[in-house]
Amino acid sequence: MSTTISFEIDETLASEAEQIYNALGMNTQMALSLFIRRTVMDGKLPLAAVTPPPANHASTDRPAPTPESDPHFESKPTGKRITEEMVGAVWQAFLKMRQFGYSANSLASEVSNSTGMNPGSAFIYLTILDNLVKGKPNTRNMKMADLETYMSKIQNEFNASDYQNALLSLERSVPYWSKSQFGNFGKHVLLYLSQHK
C-alpha cells in the first residue's frame, strides 16, 4: 500500500534540486523516498549528502562531507576493478530492493561491506538497474559487459514487460550516453539494441 504526499515548493529550488538528482541517476520522487526511508531506518533526519554538491552549489560555510563523517558518501573512483563477484552481489541486492523496497543507499553499503565494491559504484549500479526495469533513462553508466549481464538476467529472471522496459530505458539513455564523457558507450548500447530488438 502506498500514499501520495503533496506539498508546495519554490519552482526554482525544485528545478535546481531535480538537476542534482538527475546527475545522481534519480529523480525528485526517488530522492524524497530515499530521504523518508533513511529517516525511518535511522530514527533521525538524514542530513548528510549522498555525494558532495556540484561546485556551483557548494557553500563556503560548510565543509564537504567525507567518508569519515558520512557513511553514505560517494567517494571518488578508486581505480578498483569491479569484479564478477561484485556484479553478482549487486544483482542479489537489487532483488531485495525490488522485493522488499529497501533503499539503494543501504543496499550499496551492504554490497560494499561484503565485496569491497566502492559504495558509490554499487549505488550507481543499483540505480541503473531500477531505472532499467522501470523504463526510465539513465544518466550514469557501467561497464558494457556488466550491462549485458544484467540485461540477460532481466530477460531470463523477470517477466517480458520488465525486459521491454529495460530495452526502452536503453533507448532513452542513448542520447545522454552519446555525450563525449562516455566515450563509445552510447555506440555500444546502440549495437546491443540492434542485436536484441
Side-chain angles (χ1 to χ4, degrees):
M1 185 174 200
S2 63
T3 186
T4 300
I5 299 174
S6 173
F7 61 93
E8 291 187 21
I9 188 169
D10 178 77
E11 186 176 344
T12 303
L13 182 62
S15 175
E16 289 177 3
E18 182 77 19
Q19 289 175 11
I20 293 169
Y21 299 143
N22 287 340
L24 295 170
M26 64 176 90
N27 60 30
T28 301
Q29 181 179 344
M30 291 169 66
L32 293 176
S33 178
L34 175 63
F35 181 86
I36 291 169
R37 287 180 191 277
R38 289 303 317 182
T39 300
V40 172
M41 288 174 64
D42 297 342
K44 64 180 182 176
L45 290 176
L47 297 177
V50 173
T51 59
N56 61 343
H57 292 282
S59 167
T60 55
D61 297 328
R62 65 175 187 257
T66 63
E68 293 77 26
S69 66
D70 180 5
H72 303 294
F73 178 82
E74 183 179 344
S75 60
K76 299 213 184 277
T78 60
K80 189 175 201 177
R81 190 172 75 81
I82 295 176
T83 64
E84 287 182 27
E85 176 194 12
M86 293 171 182
V87 170
V90 167
W91 180 255
Q92 292 305 313
F94 178 62
L95 294 178
K96 285 186 194 176
M97 182 174 155
R98 189 170 158 90
Q99 184 174 2
F100 303 112
Y102 295 147
S103 76
N105 219 1
S106 63
L107 291 169
S109 294
E110 185 179 297
V111 169
S112 177
N113 291 337
S114 67
T115 67
M117 185 178 190
N118 178 304
S121 297
F123 178 82
I124 290 168
Y125 271 43
L126 287 165
T127 302
I128 290 172
L129 282 167
D130 191 50
N131 287 340
L132 283 172
V133 297
K134 292 177 179 173
K136 294 181 177 180
N138 276 295
T139 57
R140 302 305 275 276
N141 71 332
M142 61 176 62
K143 292 189 303 186
M144 190 63 201
D146 297 345
L147 180 61
E148 289 176 353
T149 295
Y150 291 137
M151 288 298 291
S152 176
K153 286 182 175 294
I154 291 169
Q155 183 178 23
N156 296 321
E157 298 180 29
F158 291 177
N159 61 47
S161 65
D162 289 324
Y163 182 65
Q164 289 305 312
N165 281 345
L167 291 172
L168 179 62
S169 173
L170 293 182
E171 284 180 16
R172 290 176 170 172
S173 303
V174 165
Y176 192 85
W177 286 336
S178 296
K179 294 180 179 179
S180 60
Q181 69 258 36
F182 294 107
N184 290 323
F185 190 73
K187 290 178 183 176
H188 292 308
V189 173
L190 280 173
L191 179 61
Y192 175 89
L193 284 168
S194 71
Q195 295 169 344
H196 292 85
K197 285 202 83 171

